[in-house]
Amino acid sequence: MTAVSNEMQAQAATMRLSDAMKASTEVMQMMNSVVNVPETHEAMAAMRQEMMKAGLIEELIDEGMEDLDGPDLEEEAEQEVDRVLADLAIDAAMRLAITRPDDAEAQAAAASGAPAAAAAAAPARVAVPGDGAG
């Protein structure tokens, strides 16, 4: 009895597979009628060539830009950035010293490791031209 049941299940599975293959064949036939394979192949070949040209052009442009920049430009740019950042840090320290002299002295003392007495001996306010103090 079990053998007959198994055989029936196998036949039902085979029929379902056959129906699925039939539907798949119909879809493939419709796609084939819509899509022109040689034309698609030609379009893909042309696209491949254009992309290769674009890659070569991009590579040539990159090399040309590198030649224009020169090897020292990046180092010079890095030095300029470092200089600007150092200037900004000095400006920030000056503003802090002007607006909060006690905090600036404490931070300077903590950063340099100097004793608190040396920080207390520093002037309490820095005169900046044009700020009305002085």
Side-chain angles (χ1 to χ4, degrees):
M1 193 53 117
T2 307
V4 172
S5 174
N6 287 342
E7 185 64 29
M8 294 289 284
Q9 288 178 352
Q11 285 221 342
T14 303
M15 288 176 60
R16 286 193 300 270
L17 179 63
S18 174
D19 289 343
M21 293 296 284
K22 194 180 298 180
S24 176
T25 302
E26 290 173 7
V27 168
M28 291 297 285
Q29 285 175 344
M30 289 191 308
M31 286 297 296
N32 227 0
S33 67
V34 172
V35 175
N36 187 353
V37 176
E39 184 179 304
T40 304
H41 180 69
E42 289 175 17
M44 293 299 289
M47 184 175 175
R48 185 179 325 117
Q49 286 179 337
E50 290 299 321
M51 290 183 73
M52 195 168 19
K53 284 181 191 176
L56 290 173
I57 290 170
E58 182 180 3
E59 187 176 321
L60 287 172
I61 289 173
D62 287 345
E63 288 176 5
M65 295 304 281
E66 287 175 7
D67 291 343
L68 288 176
D69 291 346
D72 298 331
L73 184 65
E74 192 165 325
E75 289 177 20
E76 291 174 14
E78 189 173 320
Q79 290 172 355
E80 184 66 18
V81 167
D82 289 343
R83 186 187 62 78
V84 167
L85 290 175
D87 289 348
L88 289 175
I90 290 171
D91 290 345
M94 289 296 287
R95 281 195 202 117
L96 185 60
I98 292 169
T99 58
R100 298 184 188 165
D102 296 333
D103 291 346
E105 291 169 7
Q107 285 181 352
S112 66
R125 180 151 171 94
V126 176
V128 175
D131 74 346

